[in-house]
Amino acid sequence: MVLHSKPAIEQLSKANNCAAFLGGIPLIDLSKPDSKAQLVRACEDLGFFKVINHGVPADLIRELESEAVRFFSLPLSVKEQAGPPDPFGYGDKKIGPNGDVGWVEYLLLTTNTHNFPSIFGEAADKFRWLVNEYISAVKKMACEILEMLAEGLRIQPRDAFSKLLMDEQSDSVFRVNHYPPCPDVQGRNLIGFGEHTDPQIISVLRSNNISGLQISLKDGRWISVPSDHNSFFINVGDSLQVMTNGRFKSVRHRVVANGSKSRLSMIYFGGPPLSEKIAPLASLMQGEEDSLYKEFTWFEYKKSAYKSKLADNRLGLFEKIAAS
Ligand code: GA4
């Protein structure tokens, strides 16, 4: 990490107002077929849940994590050869193109090609291979969850959501975030990654055993998510909120920096093909129910997302104004 400039640290605003959450984070056992109703409820209530018995091999997770730790321990000048995030590559503190910053460094990759620069030599081959294997495994899990959700919602066909991730043209992203210990924390909660919702359909997150992730409840309170390196955490994204006509909630979340320990997280963002029209699924609409959103393609949504700031309500632009 390079030393931060003053304006940058000023933007790492304080994250206050974090409450205890008595309900707890919904925990779903994917090996139990009767979890469909629980999955639907979790997507409706919070847009966030934790899964166990996920089928992603523990060895694969461990190996990828140790390659990622090795990558982030390289000198900055070497990491920067993975290219500026435009939008893919290595990034340090700057998030997205519109001035957002956080106490984080990261690798952002498209899931279609992983261009690790040749400077990493053979290590790059191993890293690339592990990333590919990991993405296949978490994508499989994401598709299983989306199919269980479709069944839970009684949507036909059951691959109505998952086919978008399975499509060869699926515009999905993989991100590895490293949150180094932040010396400025000193009892305050400084922002590692600012609050936002994910634009895609579904996000699959795992981290080492260092906490920092917080999610926002409907009433605006923030709650800390206890870390669990053996489980995965799933977020509903904006596109799934639209496809369910607002029934599922795209959860606002953020990461606060830690004063003494490094947090490492890896997130797969499952997105549709660029040309896909995002609109409420006809089979989900009841009676005369109107769509809450104007129709858009994923390309249009992404284009407007990249003009926004992290914390913006990106779906606002596409909401229909209710007739009075
Ligand atoms: C948030 C979710 C994913 O991390 C991401 C982010 C993307 C980026 O870092 O380039 C964005 C952000 C995310 C939404 C608004 C825009 C784009 C930064 C930003 C300010 C990779 C994504 O798809 O959208």
Side-chain angles (χ1 to χ4, degrees), residues 136-172:
S136 307
V138 291
K139 176 173 162 183
K140 185 164 170 270
M141 185 218 315
C143 288
E144 273 163 24
I145 291 171
L146 289 171
E147 287 173 13
M148 288 168 85
L149 284 169
E151 281 180 8
L153 288 169
R154 298 196 166 73
I155 290 173
Q156 294 280 3
R158 68 192 287 271
D159 69 351
F161 302 125
S162 63
K163 68 175 186 205
L164 304 176
L165 273 58
M166 296 308 287
D167 195 303
E168 264 186 28
Q169 305 294 320
S170 149
D171 181 38
S172 299

Side-chain angles (χ1 to χ4, degrees), residues 57-76:
D59 288 357
L60 176 59
I61 297 174
R62 206 172 27 248
E63 280 191 61
L64 180 56
E65 183 171 303
S66 71
E67 276 306 301
V69 168
R70 200 192 56 78
F71 171 79
F72 288 116
S73 67
L74 292 169
L76 182 66

Side-chain angles (χ1 to χ4, degrees), residues 4-269:
H4 47 82
S5 63
K6 198 146 190 287
I9 198 78
E10 275 162 9
Q11 281 193 63
L12 300 170
S13 56
K14 269 198 249 178
N16 292 320
N17 176 31
C18 183
F21 180 49
L22 296 178
I25 306 292
L27 171 65
I28 317 274
D29 182 342
L30 286 184
S31 67
K32 298 222 168 99
D34 62 355
S35 354
K36 284 169 210 145
Q38 268 178 284
L39 276 174
V40 169
R41 205 172 325 117
C43 291
E44 290 173 343
D45 292 348
L46 274 186
F48 185 83
F49 53 92
K50 167 167 151 171
V51 294
I52 53 169
N53 288 323
H54 44 69
V56 181
D59 288 357
L60 176 59
I61 297 174
R62 206 172 27 248
E63 280 191 61
L64 180 56
E65 183 171 303
S66 71
E67 276 306 301
V69 168
R70 200 192 56 78
F71 171 79
F72 288 116
S73 67
L74 292 169
L76 182 66
S77 58
V78 179
K79 290 183 282 194
E80 280 177 342
Q81 292 180 41
D86 185 23
F88 302 114
Y90 169 78
D92 183 20
K93 294 193 192 69
K94 294 192 181 121
I95 300 169
N98 302 313
D100 289 290
V101 293
W103 192 254
V104 63
E105 58 174 342
Y106 60 86
L107 257 181
L108 193 55
L109 306 166
T110 123
T111 60
N112 303 325
T113 47
H114 311 301
N115 293 319
F116 291 91
S118 51
I119 184 97
F120 300 136
E122 278 177 25
D125 292 338
K126 185 171 178 206
F127 201 177
R128 190 186 299 114
W129 185 84
L130 288 166
V131 166
N132 280 329
E133 291 293 300
Y134 182 86
I135 288 174
S136 307
V138 291
K139 176 173 162 183
K140 185 164 170 270
M141 185 218 315
C143 288
E144 273 163 24
I145 291 171
L146 289 171
E147 287 173 13
M148 288 168 85
L149 284 169
E151 281 180 8
L153 288 169
R154 298 196 166 73
I155 290 173
Q156 294 280 3
R158 68 192 287 271
D159 69 351
F161 302 125
S162 63
K163 68 175 186 205
L164 304 176
L165 273 58
M166 296 308 287
D167 195 303
E168 264 186 28
Q169 305 294 320
S170 149
D171 181 38
S172 299
V173 180
F174 183 60
R175 170 166 222 142
V176 188
N177 287 327
H178 173 226
Y179 301 92
C182 179
D184 292 303
V185 167
Q186 288 160 357
R188 299 171 302 160
N189 284 328
L190 291 172
I191 285 299
F193 205 112
E195 66 172 273
H196 65 285
T197 61
D198 293 341
Q200 292 82 358
I201 296 173
I202 192 167
S203 314
V204 180
L205 175 144
R206 95 159 272 286
S207 74
N208 63 356
N209 249 352
I210 304 305
S211 58
L213 179 62
Q214 298 183 340
I215 60 168
S216 165
L217 303 180
K218 280 181 194 150
D219 62 9
R221 278 179 306 150
W222 287 93
I223 54 160
S224 286
V225 178
S227 61
D228 177 356
H229 67 305
N230 293 316
S231 304
F232 282 84
F233 293 92
I234 312 293
N235 287 1
V236 169
D238 295 346
S239 302
L240 190 54
Q241 176 169 324
V242 174
M243 292 176 85
T244 57
N245 207 25
R247 202 164 149 187
F248 289 178
K249 302 287 176 294
S250 175
V251 64
R252 275 188 105 66
H253 55 287
R254 67 184 182 191
V255 176
V256 292
N258 189 297
S260 56
K261 294 179 182 130
S262 272
R263 173 178 162 93
L264 190 103
S265 65
M266 316 193 236
I267 311 114
Y268 163 78
F269 301 93

